[in-house]
Amino acid sequence: MKEKKVLFIGLVWPEPTSSAAGFRMMQLIDTFLNGSYQITFASAAAKSPYSAPLQSLGVHEQAIVLNSDSFDDFITQLQPDIVVFDRFMVEEQYGWRVAQQCPNALRVLDTEDLHFLRQARQASVKNKGDFSFQELFTDTAKREIASILRSDLSLIISESEMKILIEEFRISPDILYYLPFLEHEISSTEINQWKPFEERKNLLFIGNFIHEPNWHTVQYLKTQIWPQLRKMLPKVELHIYGAYATQKVLQLNNSKENFLIKGRAESARLTMENYRVLVAPIQFGAGVKGKFIDAMQTGTPSVTTTVGAEAMKGNLDWNGFIEDDPETFCRKTVELYENEDLWKTAQEHGIRIINERYEKRKYQADFMTNLSLLKAQIDRHRQQNFISQILLHHTMQSTKYMSLWIEEKNK
């Protein structure tokens, strides 16, 4: 029986301890490993000391070059059954080459989050205006939607984003697939090992500082939330964790104000389990926030905003509070920090959210079955999504010819 092959093309080498995107990528790799696929991960980026040891998992690593026909030779020799693009920028770079050299390969886009949604919300916050869907129709949206339309299937991590794509942009549900974070079930054994209320202290925020919503949240905590909150909890410290803290982040450290920049957490979950409450007054963003998954997996209640909790809880109760008003946010944080019964109830809500909405056995088998069916019916699927073929036609491929021009220029 022919071994099934999947090629991941990464924007970067996955760093599961640095970002939710890296953690998500590792979950996808694990899903294909469980499906008995031979996996190759390729990227043009440089590795870092925090890149996941993929080879130890049995994943073949391949360095590739942007705007080079060496990729054509590589993929022609590999002949993957499925190619997964890590974000739309990667599909723009390599999608046409995959379609040209391996036309029968199923092309899957992992969106991570909708970049155009995050950017539109960021612009709205910057301009101090109320966000409206009219702000979504940007050049980034054109690029990202075109990438979704060119792909055979796009993985969407948020139900809210599924709704936006279908209702606002009229994207066919046939080329979209809802696949949330894929988590292990929280068992009673794990719950019994969690540190109890009285053994936890202080507040924390965690988030990769390269990601603009996280950096903005830290600034918002420093200027809008913590000045109020520390008066209400004078003996409590706020610890800020995150990968790639630059000097502008480090200079916010102030021990007199109990506002402490801790830098990278080697393990988000091992770090988080020592704290009583996660505070994340996120003002803009998209997708689903990995920090709240980590919080629920460690029995750590949280206080966040509507944007922060978006698409995460469904009809269930949040594992803490969702508040947009700064004063109410602070008041609810104090309640959660000081009231053990309230804290334990919030913890129970987090357990239910993980086990009912993110438990991986609810999704992995169906996802792999869906890919197999799609692969078997690829010609029919592409006929139904004929716009994909239109967008791959040479008259629509500015990215292809720009790449070829750069390639020639570099010779």
Side-chain angles (χ1 to χ4, degrees):
M1 189 175 181
K2 180 177 174 289
E3 189 171 27
K4 299 173 292 184
K5 298 179 183 177
V6 59
L7 168 65
F8 284 84
I9 308 178
L11 181 67
V12 295
W13 294 94
E15 295 184 19
T17 62
S18 299
S19 69
F23 197 71
R24 158 75 162 188
M25 182 56 69
M26 296 306 295
Q27 290 181 341
L28 290 178
I29 288 171
D30 178 66
T31 299
F32 279 95
L33 284 172
N34 289 338
S36 301
Y37 274 79
Q38 177 188 317
I39 302 175
T40 300
F41 194 99
S43 179
K47 281 190 176 183
S48 86
Y50 305 101
S51 299
L54 297 178
Q55 289 181 322
S56 68
L57 301 175
V59 176
H60 177 70
E61 297 179 353
Q62 178 68 45
I64 53 177
V65 181
L66 286 169
N67 306 309
S68 171
D69 60 8
S70 61
F71 178 85
D72 301 345
D73 297 334
F74 155 66
I75 198 168
T76 299
Q77 185 173 353
L78 183 64
Q79 286 296 312
D81 298 285
I82 300 172
V83 177
V84 180
F85 303 103
D86 171 25
R87 288 164 269 201
F88 80 91
M89 302 82 82
V90 170
E91 190 280 331
E92 285 182 333
Q93 281 284 348
Y94 299 100
W96 63 271
R97 291 186 185 272
V98 173
Q100 204 169 66
Q101 305 302 324
C102 299
N104 294 323
L106 190 68
R107 300 188 303 276
V108 178
L109 171 63
D110 183 35
T111 57
E112 296 287 357
D113 65 10
L114 291 182
H115 294 62
F116 68 85
L117 174 62
R118 170 161 39 88
Q119 291 176 11
R121 285 174 169 167
Q122 181 176 352
S124 180
V125 168
K126 184 178 179 180
N127 297 329
K128 295 181 170 57
D130 293 327
F131 174 75
S132 73
F133 283 116
Q134 295 305 312
E135 297 174 72
L136 294 178
F137 296 86
T138 61
D139 285 345
T140 301
K142 292 171 188 174
R143 289 175 58 195
E144 195 162 13
I145 295 294
S147 182
I148 288 170
L149 290 170
R150 281 192 299 267
S151 302
D152 296 314
L153 195 69
S154 290
L155 308 182
I156 312 298
I157 202 168
S158 159
E159 291 161 321
S160 296
E161 294 182 2
M162 286 284 286
K163 187 176 180 181
I164 288 170
L165 290 171
I166 293 168
E167 295 184 1
E168 299 294 329
F169 291 91
R170 301 293 188 265
I171 305 297
S172 169
D174 293 339
I175 62 170
L176 303 175
Y177 195 92
Y178 172 62
L179 192 68
F181 282 116
L182 303 169
E183 293 293 315
H184 68 268
E185 181 181 20
I186 300 176
S187 66
S188 56
T189 302
E190 285 181 275
I191 295 167
N192 291 333
Q193 292 174 345
W194 286 344
K195 288 187 177 180
F197 178 85
E198 64 274 8
E199 290 183 21
R200 298 180 184 226
K201 65 176 183 177
N202 296 325
L203 305 169
L204 89 152
F205 172 79
I206 189 167
N208 178 355
F209 291 113
I210 294 175
H211 194 53
E212 191 63 29
N214 289 328
W215 165 232
H216 184 273
T217 300
V218 172
Q219 293 173 290
Y220 188 78
L221 277 166
K222 178 77 171 180
T223 60
Q224 303 296 318
I225 299 298
W226 192 238
Q228 298 180 59
L229 198 49
R230 74 187 183 96
K231 292 176 184 176
M232 304 161 82
L233 295 170
K235 295 182 180 179
V236 174
E237 296 177 352
L238 173 55
H239 295 181
I240 308 293
Y241 290 90
Y244 302 106
T246 58
Q247 189 57 40
K248 68 180 181 181
V249 179
L250 297 174
Q251 69 185 12
L252 296 180
N253 185 79
N254 190 321
S255 56
K256 291 181 180 178
E257 295 179 356
N258 287 341
F259 190 95
L260 305 177
I261 305 297
K262 294 289 189 176
R264 177 186 288 272
E266 294 304 319
S267 167
R269 294 185 182 180
L270 289 177
T271 298
M272 200 173 283
E273 67 182 9
N274 297 300
Y275 290 85
R276 196 171 288 178
V277 178
L278 167 70
V279 286
I282 297 166
Q283 300 299 293
F284 62 85
V288 176
K289 316 301 182 292
K291 57 179 64 61
F292 299 119
I293 296 290
D294 291 334
M296 294 176 206
Q297 284 281 14
T298 57
T300 309
S302 63
V303 186
T304 188
T305 57
T306 303
V307 170
E310 181 180 69
M312 292 204 68
K313 69 182 185 66
N315 295 321
L316 302 177
D317 292 317
W318 187 246
N319 75 321
F321 294 106
I322 301 170
E323 297 293 345
D324 295 319
D325 174 68
E327 289 186 15
T328 310
F329 185 98
C330 292
R331 191 172 69 253
K332 292 295 185 181
T333 299
V334 173
E335 286 181 29
L336 197 55
Y337 192 87
E338 295 183 333
N339 187 323
E340 184 174 358
D341 289 337
L342 191 64
W343 188 86
K344 286 181 177 178
T345 299
Q347 195 177 66
E348 289 168 5
H349 291 161
I351 296 166
R352 189 176 175 195
I353 290 171
I354 291 292
N355 291 350
E356 292 190 19
R357 288 182 54 80
Y358 297 98
E359 207 278 312
K360 61 186 178 183
R361 288 175 298 183
K362 297 178 186 292
Y363 300 99
Q364 284 183 323
D366 286 346
F367 173 53
M368 300 309 288
T369 299
N370 188 277
L371 290 181
S372 297
L373 291 173
L374 205 56
K375 184 77 172 68
Q377 303 170 4
I378 191 62
D379 291 337
R380 184 179 172 207
H381 178 75
R382 287 175 178 169
Q383 286 169 1
Q384 292 173 339
N385 181 31
F386 190 68
I387 197 166
S388 167
Q389 296 180 49
I390 294 172
L391 291 173
L392 283 166
H393 191 261
H394 67 88
T395 60
M396 304 296 285
Q397 291 189 73
S398 61
T399 52
K400 169 182 175 180
Y401 290 103
M402 175 60 77
S403 177
L404 290 172
W405 180 80
I406 294 171
E407 183 180 332
E408 288 300 313
K409 187 172 177 288
N410 288 339
K411 286 182 179 177

